[in-house]
Amino acid sequence: MSKIRVVHYINQFFAGIGGEEKADIKPEIREGVVGPGAALNAAFGGEAEIVATVICGDSYFNENLEEAKTQILDMIKQYNPELFIAGPAFNAGRYGVACGTISKVVKEELNIPVATAMYIENPGADMYKKDLYIVETGNSAAAMRTAAPALAKLALKLVKGEEIKAPNVDGYIPRGVRKNIFLEERGSKRAVDMMLKKLKGEEYVTEYPMPDFDNVTPNPAVKDISKAKIALVTSGGIVPKGNPNHIESSSASKYGKYDIADFTDLTEVTHETAHGGYDPIYANADADRVLPVDVLRDMEKEGIIGELHRYFYTTVGNGTSVANSRQFAAEFAKELLADGVTAVILTST
């Protein structure tokens, strides 16, 4: 009996080519197994085999989306796979988005089963969980030991046409799909039993999980805005011309801190946007549209605010993971407090 033919997709890091400095490499395909494909092959238990591995840099994929999709699809077609697997991407945002994007393309264009894996807070998970089966992993490659077998197991079920059970059974991220099922006990009794377990502090599993939203308690109002030091923070990607810190256009892995002490106005000569999620023309023509330095300078002169902080902090919100966003804020919030900033104006796009 012949083995199921699999094509595997990974990024430049897991291919052993390099990190961020090699994220712009164009798609290439290699015969057989590369990197984490060895763990997947072992987990297949002889039922499937990776016949080829597609490698693409995260920056190249996300910044040349249409070309990358076409190039990679053409490469995959050469091997006539019966199954396509991408990742695992863990919490790498751009990698997760790439895994989700190319998996959806393969599913729609080649009509074969696809599977990928990533951390639940990876932006790729939120973007593609309704389209794909995405195995839930830990937040770093340290979880590869458990991620590879879980991904291989679900992928084999998909290619064999076996029934995919609930997310907590088959280990994938909930897709927002609800099914009617029939149980021996009626719903009213199950609800009361669940309530009694909750009251007793016992473990229970809800049949209807609700969305989990962060609840951020607002700070008290600024007592006297005319004496306040105001800082600007943006997820709109405004950076000095040339993007000196090379903040990524999507799934940002860094933020920038820039001095505006000598600026009363941001112009197309001095500033631009690095953001890849909206039309940049108007922001590039006048960055004050995203980061209102000109208006705050006027308010400063008129005594409406005390002063504008000399530094602004910026990143790109497009596909950037929640984990990275929290990390950025935790770092620069300490600096803002140390600099005596009273309040922050956070702008988006």
Side-chain angles (χ1 to χ4, degrees):
M1 181 174 151
S2 61
K3 294 181 181 179
I4 297 162
R5 296 171 59 81
V6 183
V7 170
H8 186 207
Y9 175 89
I10 57 175
N11 71 353
Q12 80 287 347
F13 175 78
F14 284 99
I17 295 171
E20 191 60 37
E21 78 283 357
K22 295 291 185 180
D24 59 349
I25 67 160
K26 294 182 178 181
E28 62 177 85
I29 191 159
R30 299 183 190 175
E31 297 274 346
V33 170
V34 179
L40 285 170
N41 252 4
F44 288 143
E47 293 187 77
E49 181 181 19
I50 294 172
V51 294
T53 304
V54 178
I55 302 161
C56 184
D58 288 333
S59 293
Y60 181 86
F61 187 95
N62 287 284
E63 293 171 13
N64 303 275
L65 198 55
E66 294 309 315
E67 296 95 323
K69 288 193 293 188
T70 301
Q71 292 167 336
I72 292 170
L73 197 60
D74 287 343
M75 291 175 179
I76 295 169
K77 286 178 182 176
Q78 299 172 29
Y79 287 86
N80 298 312
E82 299 160 87
L83 172 65
F84 178 79
I85 292 181
F90 304 105
N91 199 28
R94 286 174 301 155
Y95 187 22
V97 172
C99 285
T101 303
I102 196 61
S103 294
K104 185 180 179 185
V105 170
V106 171
K107 178 184 174 184
E108 293 174 349
E109 296 293 326
L110 302 186
N111 196 29
I112 61 172
V114 301
T116 184
M118 60 191 79
Y119 185 52
I120 195 167
E121 289 187 4
N122 191 308
D126 196 48
M127 290 169 67
Y128 290 104
K129 64 185 179 184
K130 290 185 178 179
D131 302 297
L132 311 166
Y133 285 101
I134 304 174
V135 170
E136 185 174 350
T137 73
N139 67 354
S140 75
M144 183 68 79
R145 185 176 59 84
T146 54
L151 178 53
K153 182 180 178 182
L154 183 64
L156 286 175
K157 290 189 74 171
L158 287 168
V159 77
K160 292 176 186 177
E162 296 177 3
E163 180 189 0
I164 305 300
K165 297 181 179 177
N168 63 325
V169 176
D170 277 328
Y172 60 92
I173 294 171
R175 304 175 67 201
V177 176
R178 303 200 182 278
K179 293 181 178 180
N180 290 326
I181 59 173
F182 294 93
L183 299 175
E184 289 185 12
E185 294 181 334
R186 59 192 296 174
S188 56
K189 183 180 187 304
R190 299 199 309 274
V192 171
D193 289 344
M194 194 185 306
M195 182 184 69
L196 291 173
K197 286 182 178 179
K198 183 175 182 179
L199 291 172
K200 293 176 182 177
E202 296 174 0
E203 189 174 331
Y204 68 94
V205 178
T206 180
E207 295 179 17
Y208 197 83
M210 301 303 292
D212 184 19
F213 297 108
D214 279 348
N215 185 11
V216 179
T217 304
N219 279 334
V222 176
K223 290 181 180 179
D224 187 353
I225 199 75
S226 67
K227 292 184 174 62
K229 179 189 276 193
I230 307 295
L232 280 170
V233 175
T234 184
S235 61
I238 300 302
V239 293
K241 198 76 173 179
N243 190 10
N245 288 92
H246 306 292
I247 296 173
E248 299 91 347
S249 61
S250 69
S251 304
S253 64
K254 60 183 80 109
Y255 65 89
K257 174 185 178 182
Y258 302 110
D259 195 332
I260 46 172
D262 297 328
F263 288 93
T264 57
D265 183 29
L266 305 184
T267 71
E268 61 183 341
V269 175
T270 62
H271 290 80
E272 63 185 355
T273 182
H275 204 292
Y278 65 92
D279 186 340
I281 292 174
Y282 298 103
N284 286 340
D286 185 358
D288 291 298
R289 289 170 169 149
V290 179
L291 197 77
V293 172
D294 54 353
V295 174
L296 284 164
R297 286 293 183 215
D298 290 341
M299 295 175 77
E300 191 178 41
K301 289 176 186 175
E302 295 167 17
I304 298 172
I305 64 170
E307 65 176 299
L308 177 61
H309 186 43
R310 71 175 296 156
Y311 298 107
F312 77 91
Y313 293 83
T314 180
T315 192
V316 165
N318 179 33
T320 298
S321 70
V322 174
N324 277 351
S325 301
R326 284 177 178 149
Q327 178 192 332
F328 301 161
E331 290 176 8
F332 62 68
K334 292 177 183 176
E335 295 184 19
L336 291 168
L337 288 169
D339 288 339
V341 169
T342 312
V344 169
I345 295 175
L346 177 62
T347 70
S348 186
T349 58

